[in-house]
C-alpha cells in the first residue's frame, strides 16, 4: 500500500467518479483504476460498489476512507515539519474554507500572502463548515476558515472577520413578520453549511422554529441559491459578499429582517505542529483587520 494509492482512493471516494478524480489528481484514468484495483486485490475487500456507470463506497470503503485521510494528513504533516528547515523559502500551506470565505473573503488575503512569500504554494480546499473542521482534525489542512461555530475540543478557533447577512428576494416584500416568514418560499443551503446554521440560530434566538419555514429548495452552493432567488423561485438569507453585485444591479432586493453580522472563525489543531507559513498567514490577516 502506497501513499499514492491512498491519495487516489481518497480522490475517487470524494468524487465518486474515477475519471473526475484522475483529472483532479493529474493521473491517467487507467492509473487511478489500477490503484483502486490493487488495493482491493491486495486485501480481498471491495471498496466500491459498481452501479451502472457510477460507483459508491462500500461499508468497508467508508471505514477505510477515514483511515486513509488520517494517514495522508500525517504524511503531509511530516513533510511540513521538514520544509520548516528551509524557513519560508519553500513549502506548501494547505487550507480549507467554507464556500463564502473561499470564494469572496479569503482570495484577496491569499494574494497579499503570495506577494510576501512567493515561494510558498497554497492549496485551498472548499467544504462546508463541518467538513472543513473534519479536514483540520484529520490533518488534511493546517488551517480552516469557517462561518459557523465548531464545537470540537481538539480545535483552537478565533475570530478573523465578520460578515453581514441579508435577506434577499426577487421583488420587494413590504413588511416581514412571523406570518410572512411562514408563507415565504425559502431557498436554503445544505445541512452543515455555516450560512444555514447561522440563519437558523438567529431564528431560534428570536423565538421562531426554523422547522416552520416552507423550504422549497435545498441547494449546494451560494451561487446556486442566489441564481434561484434572482429567477423568482423564493427568498434566501446569504452573505452580503455573495449578493452585493446582484443588489447593485437590481437583480435582487434586500428585505427588512435586520440580521446581525456573523463571525468568520479560523481553526487550527491544538496538538499539531505549527508551521511558519501558517503563522505568517494568520499574522497577515490580523494586520489587515486593524
Amino acid at each position: 500500500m502506497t501513499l499514492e494509492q491512498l491519495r487516489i482512493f481518497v480522490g475517487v471516494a470524494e468524487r465518486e467518479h474515477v475519471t473526475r478524480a484522475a483529472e483532479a489528481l493529474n493521473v491517467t484514468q487507467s492509473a487511478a483504476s489500477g490503484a483502486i484495483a490493487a488495493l482491493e486485490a491486495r486485501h480481498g475487500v471491495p471498496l466500491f460498489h459498481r452501479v451502472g456507470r457510477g460507483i459508491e463506497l462500500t461499508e468497508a470503503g467508508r471505514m477505510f476512507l477515514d483511515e486513509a485521510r488520517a494517514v495522508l494528513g500525517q504524511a503531509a504533516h511530516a513533510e511540513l515539519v521538514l520544509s520548516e528547515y528551509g524557513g519560508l523559502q519553500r513549502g506548501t500551506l494547505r487550507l480549507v474554507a467554507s464556500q463564502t470565505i473561499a470564494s469572496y473573503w479569503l482570495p484577496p488575503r491569499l494574494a497579499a500572502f503570495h506577494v510576501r512569500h512567493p515561494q510558498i504554494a497554497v492549496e485551498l480546499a472548499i467544504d462546508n463548515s463541518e467538513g472543513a473542521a473534519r479536514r483540520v482534525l484529520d490533518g488534511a489542512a493546517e488551517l480552516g476558515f469557517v462561518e459557523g461555530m465548531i464545537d470540537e475540543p481538539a480545535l483552537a478557533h478565533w475570530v478573523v472577520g465578520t460578515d453581514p447577512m441579508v435577506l434577499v428576494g426577487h421583488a420587494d416584500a413590504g413588511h416581514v413578520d412571523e406570518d410572512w416568514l411562514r408563507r415565504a418560499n425559502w431557498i436554503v443551503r445544505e445541512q452543515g453549511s455555516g450560512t444555514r446554521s447561522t440563519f437558523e440560530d438567529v431564528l431560534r434566538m428570536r423565538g421562531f422554529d426554523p422547522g416552520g419555514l416552507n423550504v422549497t429548495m435545498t441547494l449546494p452552493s451560494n451561487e446556486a441559491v442566489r441564481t434561484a432567488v434572482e429567477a423568482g423561485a423564493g427568498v434566501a438569507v446569504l452573505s452580503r459578499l455573495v449578493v452585493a453585485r446582484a443588489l447593485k444591479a437590481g437583480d435582487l432586493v434586500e428585505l427588512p429582517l435586520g440580521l446581525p453580522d456573523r463571525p468568520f472563525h479560523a481553526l487550527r489543531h491544538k496538538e499539531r505542529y505549527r508551521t511558519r507559513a501558517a503563522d505568517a498567514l494568520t499574522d497577515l490577516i490580523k494586520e489587515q483587520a486593524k
Side-chain angles (χ1 to χ4, degrees), residues 57-113:
L57 282 168
T58 63
E59 182 63 28
R62 283 193 292 272
M63 294 178 63
F64 185 55
L65 178 58
D66 291 336
E67 299 300 326
R69 282 173 170 160
V71 170
L72 291 174
Q74 192 63 36
H77 173 70
E79 183 181 359
L80 283 172
V81 171
L82 288 178
S83 70
E84 285 291 278
Y85 286 99
L88 288 171
Q89 300 306 309
R90 60 188 177 88
T92 300
L93 178 59
R94 293 177 176 86
L95 310 172
V96 62
S98 51
Q99 284 190 17
T100 303
I101 295 175
S103 299
Y104 299 93
W105 184 85
L106 193 54
R109 290 156 177 84
L110 293 183
F113 178 81

Side-chain angles (χ1 to χ4, degrees), residues 14-262:
E14 290 179 342
R15 295 166 180 83
E16 294 189 331
H17 199 284
V18 175
T19 302
R20 286 198 287 268
E23 292 172 352
L25 298 172
N26 198 28
V27 299
T28 64
Q29 182 175 343
S30 60
S33 298
I36 300 301
L39 284 172
E40 293 179 322
R42 178 181 176 85
H43 301 283
V45 176
L47 299 173
F48 294 95
H49 295 296
R50 276 72 176 178
V51 183
R53 293 186 176 183
I55 57 173
E56 298 175 356
L57 282 168
T58 63
E59 182 63 28
R62 283 193 292 272
M63 294 178 63
F64 185 55
L65 178 58
D66 291 336
E67 299 300 326
R69 282 173 170 160
V71 170
L72 291 174
Q74 192 63 36
H77 173 70
E79 183 181 359
L80 283 172
V81 171
L82 288 178
S83 70
E84 285 291 278
Y85 286 99
L88 288 171
Q89 300 306 309
R90 60 188 177 88
T92 300
L93 178 59
R94 293 177 176 86
L95 310 172
V96 62
S98 51
Q99 284 190 17
T100 303
I101 295 175
S103 299
Y104 299 93
W105 184 85
L106 193 54
R109 290 156 177 84
L110 293 183
F113 178 81
H114 177 70
V115 170
R116 290 191 187 182
H117 309 290
Q119 302 305 314
I120 302 296
V122 175
E123 294 182 1
L124 174 62
I126 299 177
D127 210 328
N128 62 32
S129 294
E130 292 180 0
R134 212 163 36 240
R135 288 176 185 251
V136 177
L137 276 172
D138 293 343
E142 185 175 358
L143 290 175
F145 297 92
V146 300
E147 301 134 15
M149 281 295 295
I150 300 297
D151 184 17
E152 172 50 63
L155 297 180
H157 58 88
W158 63 99
V159 175
V160 292
T162 57
D163 178 37
M165 301 288 289
V166 293
L167 171 63
V168 293
H170 182 63
D172 191 13
H175 182 60
V176 174
D177 55 17
E178 286 195 9
D179 288 338
W180 184 92
L181 293 177
R182 291 188 179 89
R183 292 195 312 270
N185 294 325
W186 288 90
I187 304 169
V188 300
R189 286 280 308 279
E190 77 286 357
Q191 289 288 353
S193 156
T195 296
R196 178 168 178 167
S197 63
T198 300
F199 175 46
E200 290 180 347
D201 287 344
V202 171
L203 291 179
R204 291 188 189 97
M205 286 190 296
R206 296 182 179 182
F208 187 93
D209 180 6
L213 298 178
N214 177 34
V215 176
T216 57
M217 292 188 192
T218 301
L219 300 177
S221 72
N222 294 319
E223 288 69 27
V225 172
R226 184 190 66 211
T227 302
V229 177
E230 289 174 353
V235 299
V237 167
L238 288 167
S239 163
R240 188 174 292 278
L241 293 170
V242 175
V243 298
R245 290 185 180 178
L247 288 171
K248 185 176 181 179
D251 297 326
L252 291 176
V253 175
E254 182 175 349
L255 306 178
L257 188 56
L259 294 165
D261 291 356
R262 64 174 172 177

